[in-house]
C-alpha cells in the first residue's frame, strides 16, 4: 500500500512536469499493484490517475471510460471521499460535451456527499460545477445563485486550490452576464490570501481565462490580448476555457488568423464530435473567416454552430452563433436571427450581448423591442418576494433558503426593479 501511494504521487508529479510518458508508466505500475492488493480503493485511485493522464493528453474518450469504471468500483468501495472524487471526475470528463443533464447529476450527487462529509472545499467545487451545468442549460438565474454562493464562501475556504479555481470559474460565468465587479473583488481577495499557485497548471488556465473574460467586459482589450499572448503558448496540456477566452480577445481586435489558429484545438476537449466546444469552435471560425473576407464559409460555420448548440439545448451558444450569423447576413433574414438571439439574451440576463444585439438591429434599420421591465417572477424570486413581504431581511431570507446574503439581495434588487 505504501508503494501504491508513492506511485500515485509519482503520477501527479510527472503530470505537473508534462512528463506524460513517465506518468503512463507509473499508472501501469499502480494498476498492477492494485491487482496484487485486491483493494478497491487502490483500483479506483489507479483508474482516476489514468483518467487524469488521458485527459491531459487530450484523449477525452479514453479518459471518460476510465472515469466511468472508477465510479463503478467506488460505489461499492464504501469510501465516501473516493465516491465524491469519482463523481467529480465524471462531471469533468463530460463538461465540455455540453451534456448539462449528466454534469448536473454528478455534481448534485457530489454536493450531497460533500455536505454529508462536512468538507467546505468539496462543497465549493460541486457548487461551481452545478453552476456550469446551469450555464449550459440556460437556467441563468439558478446559475447566478450558485455563483453567488461560490463568491460568498470562497474567501472562507482554507484550501487554496479549491478557493482559487472555484472563484476563477465563477468569474468566467459572471463575465457572460456582465456581473464583474464582485467577481473581480473576490478573485483579488482569494489571490491575496492564497497566491496564484503558479505551480498548478490547471489553476493557471482558469485564472487566465477569468482575467481575459473580465478584461473584455471592462473593454480592456489590450490587456486581454496581451494576457492571451502570454499564457496560451505556455499551456501544453488540457487548456480548458483559456483557448475560447483567448480567441474572444483576438476576435475583438481583428486578429483573425490568431483566433482561427486556436479553433482546431478547442473541440479536442470533448468526447464526441457534436459538442458545446465544437459549436464554439465553429462560431469562432465563422467570425474569423468573415473578418478574412470569406463570408460564404463564415455563414456555413455559424449556421452549423447554431445547429449543434440548438441540438444540445444550449440556448446561449445557439443565440450567440445566431447573432454573429445575422451580423454577416445583414438582411431581413439576418435581422430575424438577431431578434431571436436578443430574446434569448434578455431572458438569460446576458446584458453585454443583449446590448450588442440591440445596436445591430438599429444598424440593420430595425426597431429593437422594448426592454423587458415586467414579466413573471421565477420560482425562487416568488419565494424571496413572499418572505420579503413577511418582513424578513436579506440575511434572514438567505438563511431560510440556504443561499448567500449576496444572492438574496440580488433577487430583491431584480424584484424591486420590476415594481419600479
Amino acid at each position: 500500500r505504501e508503494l501504491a501511494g508513492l506511485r500515485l504521487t509519482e503520477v501527479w508529479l510527472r503530470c505537473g512536469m508534462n512528463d506524460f510518458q513517465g506518468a503512463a508508466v507509473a499508472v501501469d505500475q499502480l494498476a498492477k499493484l492494485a491487482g496484487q492488493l485486491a483493494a478497491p480503493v487502490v483500483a479506483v485511485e489507479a483508474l482516476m490517475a489514468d483518467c487524469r493522464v488521458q485527459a491531459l493528453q487530450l484523449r477525452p474518450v479514453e479518459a471518460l471510460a476510465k472515469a466511468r469504471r472508477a465510479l463503478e468500483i467506488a460505489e461499492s468501495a464504501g469510501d465516501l471521499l473516493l465516491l465524491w472524487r469519482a463523481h467529480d471526475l465524471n462531471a469533468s470528463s463530460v463538461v465540455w460535451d455540453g451534456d448539462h443533464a449528466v454534469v448536473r447529476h454528478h455534481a448534485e450527487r457530489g454536493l450531497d456527499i460533500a455536505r454529508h462529509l462536512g468538507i467546505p472545499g468539496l462543497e465549493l467545487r460541486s457548487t461551481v460545477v452545478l453552476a456550469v451545468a446551469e450555464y449550459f442549460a440556460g437556467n441563468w438565474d439558478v446559475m447566478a445563485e450558485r455563483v453567488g454562493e461560490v463568491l460568498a464562501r470562497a474567501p472562507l475556504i482554507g484550501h487554496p486550490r479549491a478557493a482559487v479555481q472555484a472563484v476563477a470559474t465563477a468569474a468566467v460565468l459572471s463575465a457572460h452576464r456582465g456581473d464583474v465587479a464582485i467577481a473581480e473583488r473576490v478573485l483579488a481577495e482569494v489571490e491575496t490570501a492564497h497566491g496564484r499557485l503558479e505551480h498548478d497548471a490547471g489553476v493557471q488556465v482558469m485564472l487566465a481565462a477569468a482575467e481575459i473574460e473580465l478584461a473584455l467586459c471592462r473593454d480592456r482589450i489590450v490587456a486581454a490580448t496581451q494576457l492571451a499572448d502570454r499564457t496560451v503558448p505556455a499551456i501544453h496540456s488540457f487548456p480548458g476555457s483559456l483557448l475560447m477566452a483567448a480567441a474572444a480577445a483576438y476576435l475583438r481586435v481583428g486578429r483573425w488568423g490568431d483566433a482561427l489558429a486556436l479553433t482546431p484545438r478547442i473541440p479536442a476537449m470533448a468526447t464526441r464530435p457534436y459538442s458545446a466546444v465544437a459549436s464554439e469552435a465553429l462560431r469562432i471560425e465563422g467570425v474569423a473567416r468573415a473578418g478574412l473576407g470569406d463570408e460564404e464559409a463564415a455563414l456555413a460555420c455559424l449556421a452549423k454552430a447554431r445547429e449543434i448548440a440548438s441540438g444540445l439545448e444550449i440556448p446561449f451558444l445557439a443565440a450567440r452563433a445566431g447573432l454573429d450569423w445575422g451580423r454577416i447576413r445583414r438582411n431581413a433574414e439576418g435581422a430575424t436571427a438577431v431578434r431571436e438571439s436578443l430574446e434569448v439574451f434578455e431572458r438569460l440576463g446576458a446584458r453585454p450581448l443583449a446590448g450588442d444585439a440591440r445596436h445591430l438591429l438599429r444598424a440593420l434599420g430595425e426597431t429593437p423591442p422594448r426592454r423587458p421591465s415586467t414579466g413573471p417572477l421565477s420560482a425562487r424570486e416568488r419565494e424571496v418576494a413572499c418572505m420579503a413581504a413577511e418582513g424578513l431581511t436579506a440575511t434572514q431570507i438567505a438563511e431560510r433558503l440556504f443561499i448567500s446574503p449576496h444572492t438574496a439581495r440580488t433577487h430583491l434588487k431584480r424584484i424591486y426593479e420590476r415594481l419600479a
Side-chain angles (χ1 to χ4, degrees), residues 85-353:
R85 291 173 59 200
H87 276 292
D88 182 67
L89 194 62
N90 273 269
S92 301
S93 297
V94 298
V95 68
W96 297 114
D97 292 358
D99 193 340
H100 39 82
V102 173
V103 175
R104 186 186 294 110
H105 164 74
H106 289 298
E108 286 177 342
R109 185 72 182 98
L111 186 58
D112 289 341
I113 295 170
R115 285 172 174 166
H116 179 79
L117 292 172
I119 304 178
L122 303 189
E123 289 187 47
L124 199 69
R125 165 67 181 179
S126 294
T127 300
V128 81
V129 175
L130 275 171
V132 173
E134 303 303 350
Y135 162 80
F136 283 129
N139 302 322
W140 280 27
D141 284 337
V142 180
M143 177 194 79
E145 285 187 29
R146 299 295 188 187
V147 167
E149 292 173 32
V150 170
L151 295 178
R153 298 185 64 189
L156 307 176
I157 299 296
H159 191 288
R161 190 175 199 274
V164 177
Q165 195 169 38
V167 174
T169 306
V172 171
L173 297 177
S174 297
H176 287 299
R177 209 168 192 181
D179 299 327
V180 300
I182 295 176
E184 288 174 332
R185 176 178 59 77
V186 177
L187 187 59
E189 286 180 13
V190 171
E191 285 187 27
T192 299
H194 300 300
R196 294 183 61 87
L197 308 185
E198 284 84 355
H199 63 282
D200 192 320
V203 169
Q204 295 309 302
V205 164
M206 289 308 308
L207 277 176
E211 288 167 345
I212 291 171
E213 293 282 8
L214 293 173
L216 290 174
C217 279
R218 295 292 196 189
D219 286 326
R220 298 169 183 158
I221 312 302
V222 173
T225 53
Q226 288 177 343
L227 184 56
D229 288 340
R230 187 166 65 251
T231 54
V232 170
I235 300 298
H236 302 291
S237 55
F238 198 73
S241 55
L242 174 57
L243 294 180
M244 291 176 283
Y250 293 149
L251 293 177
R252 286 280 290 272
V253 294
R255 288 171 54 177
W256 315 118
D258 290 331
L260 197 59
L262 298 179
T263 57
R265 297 171 60 186
I266 295 173
M269 298 184 288
T271 68
R272 56 193 184 190
Y274 293 96
S275 63
V277 285
S279 171
E280 184 62 2
L282 282 165
R283 187 192 69 82
I284 293 166
E285 181 181 353
V287 176
R289 292 199 180 282
L292 293 169
D294 191 349
E295 291 193 357
E296 184 176 347
L299 290 170
C301 287
L302 291 166
K304 188 64 177 177
R306 191 181 186 188
E307 177 189 333
I308 292 173
S310 297
L312 294 171
E313 298 182 346
I314 305 178
F316 175 67
L317 297 188
R320 190 158 59 171
L323 173 65
D324 289 327
W325 189 89
R327 197 190 311 274
I328 298 168
R329 196 68 171 175
R330 303 191 72 83
N331 59 10
E333 191 178 11
T336 298
V338 175
R339 191 178 294 273
E340 291 172 353
S341 295
L342 174 59
E343 291 176 4
V344 175
F345 297 145
E346 296 281 16
R347 177 174 62 80
L348 297 178
R351 290 184 290 275
L353 284 172

